[in-house]
Amino acid sequence: MSAELQRNNPLHGLKTETMLTELVEFYGWKILFAATRFKCFDVNPTIKGSLKFLQKQEWARLKLESFYLYRFKRMPKPNDVEFNLNPRERGFEHGIVPLSPMKLTIESIELSQAKAASAFQERQNEKRHSNNMRHRKEQGSKHPMRDAKVKSQSTTSSKNEPKYDPSNPWNV
């Protein structure tokens, strides 16, 4: 990636310690824990201890860098080509500047996570349904009455199934 594009990446040349310090000063440990679910942000959180964890666990550092880019700096989401790149490898068009940090509360984070979980579940159900339909077409319908009954049960149960509610994790 060219140096010109990297200069427009807020992570370019930024140490993990500096990034973490900025996030803690703005959001605090509780918000960071709610957003990332890193235990080092919940149980006796310190910059030194968190840095040790982030240096050992690359996936955690990448998650925190994404949080920094898209929630704290509010940079545009990556396109399809850059989505699979690490946050430090992504470039942004010349002239795009970071915005002010997103205001977050524990409730807003939980709601966002619940929406994401619900959307993920819907995508999984659609994928499962399309795979089942493809499989039935390939196999040929051997039991048309049973297939119709299964289809009617799956459509009624998914319509009546409530969305995930973060205040009621057991859905009762």
Side-chain angles (χ1 to χ4, degrees), residues 16-132:
T16 306
E17 182 176 7
T18 306
M19 176 181 56
L20 183 60
T21 303
E22 284 182 41
L23 290 171
V24 169
E25 286 175 359
F26 188 81
Y27 290 118
W29 293 109
K30 289 184 186 224
I31 297 290
L32 286 178
F33 172 71
T36 61
R37 298 291 185 208
F38 298 160
K39 277 190 174 182
C40 64
F41 293 167
D42 187 39
V43 180
N44 298 324
T46 63
I47 296 287
K48 185 178 178 182
S50 299
L51 282 174
K52 190 173 183 180
F53 169 73
L54 292 168
Q55 288 167 350
K56 287 183 180 181
Q57 304 298 329
E58 183 181 3
W59 63 268
R61 185 180 43 79
L62 294 174
K63 186 174 181 177
L64 190 68
E65 287 175 352
S66 289
F67 178 84
Y68 182 84
L69 274 180
Y70 303 113
R71 296 274 179 102
F72 187 67
K73 291 295 183 177
R74 293 180 52 199
M75 298 299 283
K77 295 285 183 186
N79 59 28
D80 293 337
V81 174
E82 290 188 336
F83 184 77
N84 293 323
L85 295 175
N86 291 336
R88 287 188 184 267
E89 296 169 354
R90 295 178 187 156
F92 298 96
E93 291 182 28
H94 186 69
I96 294 179
V97 294
L99 300 173
S100 59
M102 192 180 278
K103 302 289 184 202
L104 297 175
T105 63
I106 292 175
E107 293 79 19
S108 69
I109 291 169
E110 287 175 347
L111 181 62
S112 175
Q113 290 171 343
K115 285 181 182 178
S118 180
F120 176 78
Q121 190 62 45
E122 286 180 24
R123 284 192 306 274
Q124 293 299 96
N125 289 341
E126 288 172 8
K127 190 185 297 183
R128 205 174 299 120
H129 180 70
S130 66
N131 286 343
N132 287 342

